[in-house]
Structures are given as C-alpha cells and as structure tokens.
Amino acid sequence: MKGAKRCRMHGGKGSGAPMGNRNAWRHGGRSAETIDALARVRELCRMIDVLEV
C-alpha cells in the first residue's frame, strides 16, 4: 500500500503502539509509596538480623 495514509483493511493510521506503558501502573507495585515501604521493611529486617547475632 504505497503512499497510503490509512490501512485499507482496518482504517487506522497504523502508527504502532500508543506512547508510554500504561499497563505498568495497574496494581501500584512500583509506586513511590510501595518502594519506600519496602525499603523500610528491608531496613527493619537488617536490624533484626543484627540483634539476633
């Protein structure tokens, strides 16, 4: 389909996937709050390990 601006089968532009990854933030597993909370938990685990020795 040389020179065509639209797909003759589907009518879309065919410019590929949308910009950005919108699916990555569905569950909030990588949000700033979650990352901060995990860092605090890791720090507490290290403190516990030090106390047990």
Side-chain angles (χ1 to χ4, degrees), residues 1-33:
M1 294 183 2
K2 278 189 173 178
K5 298 282 183 181
R6 298 198 177 271
C7 173
R8 69 183 170 97
M9 302 287 189
H10 304 102
K13 291 190 293 185
S15 61
M19 297 298 285
N21 186 358
R22 295 184 197 122
N23 294 326
W25 293 96
R26 282 270 160 99
H27 50 72
R30 299 286 181 208
S31 67
E33 287 179 17

